[in-house]
Amino acid sequence: MKRLINFAILLAIGVAVVVSFRYLGLDLASLFGADSLGSMGGYAVRFLSPDFSAGHLRAIAQGALETLAMSALGTLLAALLGLLLALPAAGRFGALAQSAARLLLNALRAIPELVWAALMVLAAGLGPNAGTLALALHTAGVLGRLFAEALENTSPKPAEAIRLQGGGQVAAFVYGTLPNLWPQLLAYSLYRWENNIRMASVLGFVGAGGLGQMLYVSLSLFQEAQAASVILAMLALVFAVDGLSGWARQRWVRT
């Protein structure tokens, strides 16, 4: 009986694959034909000859700085907003505020960065402003949730000791809770910065500025050499940010 069930499942998968090919109208014979392979080869060859002209490199440098600024500022704004929302989300201001804050954090991170970017382009216009706001809104939802969980797992005893000595809520948080929480907050923020530098390179496809917008324009105009140099700049920028973030975590988080 078990073999029959397995055979039926395999047969259903096979039928689904055949029906999918027929429904989509995929023609593998023409895809791997001589003309198609020649076109793909020529396209690849043009990509393997990046444009390193002085004017294009200056434009890439400006786009890279724009992408880096978008990711850094978006992450900073997200960390501040996430921390503000994490306090009520961790139950510091009552059950009602906790439910509202968690609902808002869920809504912020449920909407992908590309959707936020499309909305921000409509609201703020084309350019890096839209990309920065999109990164900040989505990342605030992610960091706020992580910060809230870190707050819930932090020992309340140092803050309680400060309050017993006559300190207020703000002083208890700043001097009692935040020092123990700071390494986790920094580690989460640096990790999200690594993710945001990659996403900032993609947001340009919806007009949010940076290297992504340069890549979109180059691909739209079939400028393979210019697109290849932009992709190389993206890789270099991601590797640099990854290295800087890893060094910062080792320097400030683990000590």
Side-chain angles (χ1 to χ4, degrees), residues 117-255:
L119 294 174
M120 291 302 103
V121 165
L122 295 176
L126 298 172
N129 289 337
T132 301
L133 291 174
L135 291 174
L137 290 171
H138 178 80
T139 307
V142 177
L143 289 180
R145 179 66 178 180
L146 294 174
F147 291 173
E149 292 179 355
L151 276 169
E152 292 173 350
N153 296 325
T154 301
S155 174
K157 292 181 180 179
E160 290 177 358
I162 293 176
R163 284 196 295 269
L164 290 175
Q165 296 296 323
Q169 292 284 349
V170 175
F173 175 76
V174 172
Y175 297 105
T177 303
L178 192 58
N180 297 324
L181 196 64
W182 172 250
Q184 286 181 277
L185 301 186
L186 183 59
Y188 289 144
S189 299
L190 289 173
Y191 175 70
R192 287 304 306 180
W193 184 35
E194 294 178 19
N195 293 334
N196 283 344
I197 192 66
R198 298 180 182 90
M199 185 50 61
S201 300
V202 178
L203 294 183
F205 278 81
V206 293
L211 289 175
Q213 190 165 346
M214 290 186 63
L215 180 60
Y216 175 74
V217 171
S218 298
L219 292 176
S220 299
L221 299 176
F222 299 99
Q223 298 173 342
E224 292 87 355
Q226 288 81 359
S229 55
V230 173
I231 291 174
L232 290 176
M234 285 181 174
L235 292 174
L237 187 60
V238 168
F239 289 151
V241 170
D242 284 350
L244 178 61
S245 177
W247 173 83
R249 284 200 301 269
Q250 292 179 356
R251 177 68 176 83
W252 290 313
V253 175
R254 296 180 183 176
T255 55

Side-chain angles (χ1 to χ4, degrees), residues 45-53 56 224-230 232:
V45 168
R46 291 192 296 273
F47 251 97
L48 294 176
S49 303
D51 181 7
F52 293 128
S53 61
H56 190 55
E224 292 87 355
Q226 288 81 359
S229 55
V230 173
L232 290 176

